[in-house]
Amino acid sequence: MAVSFRRKREAPRGRYTPNLWPVWIVAPVALIAAGALGWVIYHYAYDHFAQAAADQKPPKPVNINDVLKATVTALTLVGAVLAGLYAYRKQLLAEGDAHRADASQLAERYTTAAEQLGHGQAAVRLAGVYALARLADDWSEQRQVCIDVLCAYLRMPYEPDPAAPEHKAGEREVRQTIIRVIRDHLQVPDAATAWCRQNFDFTGAVFDGGDFSTSHFQSTVSFSGATFSGSTVDFSGATFSDGTVDFSDATFSDGTVDFSEATFSDGTVSFSGATFSDGTVHFNYATLSSGTVDFGNATFSGSTVHFNYATFSGSTVYFNYATLSGGMVYFNYATLSGSTVHFLYATFSGSTVHFNRTTFGRGGADFGYATFSGGTVSFGNATLIGGRADFSEATFSGTAFDWGPLPVPAGA
């Protein structure tokens, strides 16, 4: 019997429901406790009044009415405190019931939105996108989960060519809507419904357009292995800070990707292994500071990449083992102040690379072991401030150079 009762009392009743003792146990215990407390208070009050009466001259007898009044007053105060605790307990129970009801409703909304995203009709999928975004705003505890579902949708296989048999009607509109919804939640970092500090995983996603302009990414963002092609993907004026931004192994082709006036700061930005081909990528007027920017092993071929007027400050920029061939890369009017730019073992072949009017600051630039073959490299009117351009062990063959104010290295 005792074991059965204990199990019943300890049985789970829900996250917000406390374990409750039966009334037939609580009532006698409460009466006994109240009686014992009254007895203690009565004797304490009696001793106090007796001492006060004895100290008077001449001594007076103890007034029992005063003792009873003090005892009743003390018991009333204790009762008021207990009543307050009971009312607080009832409030907690009510709030627990309300919270469970809200959680149940939110879970139902999540299930409905997820089912809509998997529907065969684009209009229903669009409704699911908006429903999941509203749910993320209302359900802060599971906001990241809702965002993960939207990102997972973008990672799903996608055929942008309408003539291809795998193409789904209306799919581009659904995907563009997801991007637009995400962007709208990244505009004001201090807003209650902002998603700026959430993680975004677009690994392997296909982007044939999209607008992330002026967005604020303040956590981990992954575009690793993503493909940007066929249209314009706009990151102009975006801010990437306080986290890791990963474009490693991404492919930029047949379109335009615009990072103009974007800010990369206080974190790591990786374009390592990325391929820039048959398209245009703009980093004009971008600011890359207080962190690491890595283009190591990246391939620049058949594309135009602009770093014109970009500012590299307090950061380390790596183009180690990068291949620049068959395209154009411009650093015209760029400023590298307090930064070191490494082109170690980079290959410059058949491409046009301009550092015209570029300012190299204290860190300078390191072209050690780089290979220059074919194409054009220009340092026209470049400026060295407190640093130097190092071409140690570099190899020169068939490349047209404009050294500008830089000393011509041996073998060039």
Side-chain angles (χ1 to χ4, degrees), residues 20-296:
L20 301 178
W21 291 88
V23 176
W24 60 270
I25 292 180
V26 175
V29 171
L31 289 175
I32 293 173
L37 181 62
W39 177 260
V40 171
I41 293 175
Y42 176 83
H43 279 277
Y44 178 81
Y46 185 89
D47 292 342
H48 175 76
F49 283 105
Q51 183 63 42
D55 291 341
Q56 295 184 10
K57 295 182 179 181
K60 295 182 179 180
V62 177
N63 189 335
I64 298 299
N65 290 330
D66 292 340
V67 176
L68 292 175
K69 289 179 181 179
T71 302
V72 171
T73 301
L75 287 174
T76 301
L77 179 61
V78 172
V81 172
L82 293 176
L85 291 175
Y86 177 73
Y88 177 68
R89 173 183 170 279
K90 288 184 64 177
Q91 180 182 354
L92 289 179
L93 290 173
E95 290 179 353
D97 292 338
H99 194 100
R100 284 196 303 277
D102 289 343
S104 177
Q105 182 188 37
L106 292 170
E108 291 176 0
R109 288 172 58 187
Y110 174 83
T111 301
T112 302
E115 290 175 351
Q116 290 176 320
L117 279 177
H119 200 276
Q121 297 184 7
V124 179
R125 297 199 298 275
L126 281 172
V129 171
Y130 288 116
L132 203 58
R134 287 195 300 270
L135 180 61
D137 293 340
D138 296 338
W139 201 3
S140 59
E141 296 174 354
Q142 299 296 331
R143 180 170 295 166
Q144 184 64 61
V145 173
C146 297
I147 293 172
D148 288 344
V149 173
L150 293 175
C151 292
Y153 190 96
L154 292 178
R155 296 197 303 270
M156 293 176 64
Y158 169 56
E159 177 52 66
D161 185 2
E166 297 84 2
H167 180 76
K168 294 171 64 175
E171 182 64 8
R172 188 174 191 274
E173 178 62 26
V174 176
R175 298 172 71 87
Q176 292 298 306
T177 299
I178 292 176
I179 294 173
R180 185 165 57 252
V181 165
I182 292 175
R183 176 190 179 274
D184 290 344
H185 286 83
L186 296 175
Q187 298 301 300
V188 184
D190 297 331
T193 57
W195 298 358
C196 300
R197 295 192 178 277
Q198 309 299 137
N199 298 326
F200 294 89
D201 185 2
F202 302 109
T203 302
V206 175
F207 293 90
D208 60 338
D211 183 6
F212 290 99
S213 62
T214 65
S215 296
H216 295 264
F217 296 93
Q218 298 177 338
S219 190
T220 300
V221 184
S222 176
F223 291 93
S224 178
T227 300
F228 300 85
S229 64
S231 190
T232 299
V233 181
D234 189 1
F235 291 94
S236 63
T239 300
F240 299 87
S241 61
D242 302 322
T244 299
V245 184
D246 187 4
F247 287 92
S248 62
D249 299 311
T251 300
F252 301 83
S253 63
D254 299 324
T256 300
V257 181
D258 189 0
F259 292 96
S260 297
E261 299 184 10
T263 300
F264 301 86
S265 62
D266 300 319
T268 299
V269 183
S270 176
F271 290 90
S272 63
T275 300
F276 299 83
S277 62
D278 299 325
T280 303
V281 182
H282 293 284
F283 289 91
N284 296 334
Y285 295 96
T287 300
L288 301 95
S289 62
S290 303
T292 299
V293 183
D294 186 8
F295 288 92

Side-chain angles (χ1 to χ4, degrees), residues 367-372 391-396 410:
F367 294 88
Y369 297 93
T371 300
F372 297 87
F391 290 88
S392 300
E393 306 297 332
T395 302
F396 304 90

Side-chain angles (χ1 to χ4, degrees), residues 312-332:
F312 300 82
S313 61
S315 60
T316 302
V317 185
Y318 295 101
F319 287 88
N320 298 341
Y321 295 95
T323 300
L324 299 93
S325 62
M328 293 175 285
V329 181
Y330 296 106
F331 288 86
N332 297 333

